[in-house]
Amino acid sequence: MKDVLIIQDVSSFGKCSTTVALPIISASGVTGSILPTSLLSTHTGPEFPGFTFLDLFENMKATLDHWVDLGIKFDAVYTGYLGMIEHVDLLLEYIPRLLKDDGEIFIDPAFADNGEYYHGFDEEYGKAQLRLVEIADYVFPNLSEASLMLGLDYKSIDPNNTKDVNDVLDLLLKAGAKNAILTGVRENDQIGARLKTSDNETYTSLETYITQNFHGTGDVFASVVVGNYLRTGNIHDAIDLAVKFVPEAIKATLEDENPITYGVHFEKVLHLLTNH
Ligand code: PXL
């Protein structure tokens, strides 16, 4: 059984990052180990003013040293929201020591949406994420994260335009990623993701767009891809499944008697991942 190290914050309330990634990876039939980067009372979205934030840098370093001493190695590393630029430097130092020789690195930059940095992040944080892209086997930015990392004008990139999307994917590959998956790609009334590999192969997967934005869908998407790909080895099927899973989780959220917007009820559709 494969074991992926999930490196993200713990938002105690709010359905994102580790509390989303771990159940999705487990349902996918892959072991999830966790390295919490920070502990927050909630995520940093506008629904939760006044959130608390505890940086776990020292604990990360002690944990990583303990694992190195024990000789623990992972089949994959999957990073998402971290919190501090120092986390990036620490991970660049330790990932090579903790990854098996044929291990793979999944980087979800997770720092922006709608062209804006998440609360507390700035250009320097975005540029630090680009240093993780350099070592990525797969990178999963949305259009906001890709354009902010690459210094492109977010508003001038049309997610409906194949050339615009391919240009962004090419720049992510040029930045060092072996494979790039851009999320939020559009085709008329459809939304999804497009993959481009270093061999210049492209693959697009789309589903009908539900015209409402929900927090945490990027974390859901990346976690479904990572879990399913690690179990099956088929990246196209993993992307198709994630593109289908996100709108199903949104529908389940809308059907709830108390619809929330700060996260999605992925728990209601986990069964879509467990047929293995
Ligand atoms: O869903 C990404 C995410 C993860 N973790 C924290 C966040 C966000 C998005 O805002 O604030 C703490």
Side-chain angles (χ1 to χ4, degrees), residues 245-250 252 265-274:
F245 187 88
V246 170
E248 290 302 321
I250 292 176
H265 291 333
F266 65 92
E267 301 90 337
K268 297 257 190 203
V269 288
L270 278 180
H271 60 90
L272 298 173
L273 308 179
T274 56

Side-chain angles (χ1 to χ4, degrees), residues 34 186 225:
I34 62 166
R186 300 292 303 271
V225 174

